[in-house]
Amino acid sequence: MSELNRSALKQIEHGLIASCQPVDNGPMDDPSIVAAMAAASVAGGAAGIRIEGVENLKAAREAVKVPIIGIVKRDLPDTPIRITPFLEDIDALAKAGADIIAVDGTDRIRPVDLPTAVKRIHDNGCLAMADCSNLSEGLYCQQLGFDIIGSTMSGYTGGEIPAEPDYQLVKDLKAAGCFVMAEGRYNTPELAKTAIEIGADAVTVGSALTRLEHIVSWFVKAIHSAKA
C-alpha cells in the first residue's frame, strides 16, 4: 500500500463518511448539487465522502479535498450486482478522482469476478472496498486484498430489510482484523456512535444526511401517525 493510500485510510479512521447520493431522477440529482452536498458535509465535519456516478464524482472532487469513495450503480438484466459491476466503471472512477473504489462483494452471479476487480482497483492506484452482506463474504474479500470491508449489503440481498444495523457483522469483521466500514441503516447519531464503540473503523451514513425526500417522509409519516 502506498503512503498516499495509507494517508487516505488514516484520514477516514474513526470518522463519518457522508454518502452524497440523491434520489435517482429527483430534483437534487445534479452534479452541482451533489458537489454542494459534499462540501456542506465536509464543512460539518465529514472525514470522507461516498459518491455515485462519474460526473457526480468529478464535480465533488473539485469541491472537497477529503477522501472520496466512488461507485457506479447499474441495473442489469442478468445479475443482481449493482455496485460498480464492470472494469470500465473502475477505470472511469479512478480517472475522475476517486481515492477509494467500492464494489459489491457479495457471493452472487456477477459480470466480473472479485479477484479481477480488486486487482484493477489497485492497478489504478486506488484503495479497494468490498460492500458485503455477511462474514464469509467479508473474509473472502479480505483474503483477496480488499483494503476496506463494508457491512453495506447486510439485509439487502433478499427477504425483509431489518430495521436495525448489523452490529454483529461489524464486530466479527473487526475481530478478523479487517478495516471495517459500518454501513447500512446507521441513520441516527446514536447508531453511528455505537458502530465506533463496537469496533468499526469508520461509519457511512447516507439517506439520513443527504436524501431530503427520505428525511421529510419520515417526519410526514410520524405526523400522520399522530392524527390516526
Side-chain angles (χ1 to χ4, degrees):
M1 185 185 300
S2 71
E3 285 304 314
L4 185 62
N5 286 342
R6 289 183 194 279
S7 174
L9 277 185
K10 191 66 178 176
Q11 287 180 69
I12 66 172
E13 190 173 14
H14 299 154
L16 170 70
I17 309 302
S19 184
C20 301
Q21 297 184 54
V23 173
D24 291 342
N25 301 312
M28 301 180 76
D29 190 8
D30 179 271
S32 65
I33 296 176
V34 172
M37 287 183 185
S41 297
V42 172
I49 302 295
R50 181 170 166 123
I51 299 289
E52 190 282 324
V54 172
E55 294 307 313
N56 288 337
L57 200 156
K58 288 178 181 177
R61 182 74 287 168
E62 294 183 0
V64 301
K65 302 298 184 184
V66 299
I68 295 179
I69 302 171
I71 65 171
V72 169
K73 285 184 178 177
R74 299 186 183 278
D75 292 308
L76 303 172
D78 53 355
T79 173
I81 302 299
R82 297 186 69 229
I83 300 172
T84 322
F86 299 126
L87 295 179
E88 44 268 43
D89 294 330
I90 292 171
D91 295 340
L93 290 168
K95 186 176 181 180
D99 303 282
I100 303 162
I101 296 175
V103 300
D104 184 307
T106 60
D107 184 17
R108 299 184 290 176
I109 296 171
R110 58 195 319 114
V112 174
D113 64 76
L114 287 167
T116 301
V118 69
K119 182 178 185 302
R120 189 62 154 259
I121 294 170
H122 286 156
D123 286 348
N124 273 288
C126 298
L127 291 168
M129 176 173 168
D131 291 339
C132 298
S133 71
N134 59 48
L135 180 60
S136 63
E137 292 168 355
L139 295 180
Y140 175 63
C141 289
Q142 180 194 35
Q143 292 169 3
L144 291 178
F146 279 89
D147 307 285
I148 303 169
I149 308 298
S151 61
T152 319
M153 295 301 296
S154 177
Y156 298 108
T157 57
E160 186 176 351
I161 298 173
E164 294 290 316
D166 192 341
Y167 301 121
Q168 192 60 50
L169 179 55
V170 169
K171 292 177 183 178
D172 291 343
L173 289 170
K174 187 60 181 178
C178 300
F179 187 102
V180 185
M181 180 70 70
E183 186 168 359
R185 305 180 296 281
Y186 289 92
N187 50 26
T188 69
E190 292 74 21
L191 292 175
K193 177 184 176 184
T194 297
I196 297 298
E197 290 174 342
I198 64 176
D201 293 285
V203 186
T204 295
V205 179
S207 293
L209 295 177
T210 58
R211 288 196 164 183
L212 189 57
E213 295 94 329
H214 292 185
I215 300 166
V216 171
S217 73
W218 300 340
F219 282 87
V220 170
K221 184 178 179 180
I223 291 169
H224 286 174
S225 69
K227 297 188 295 184

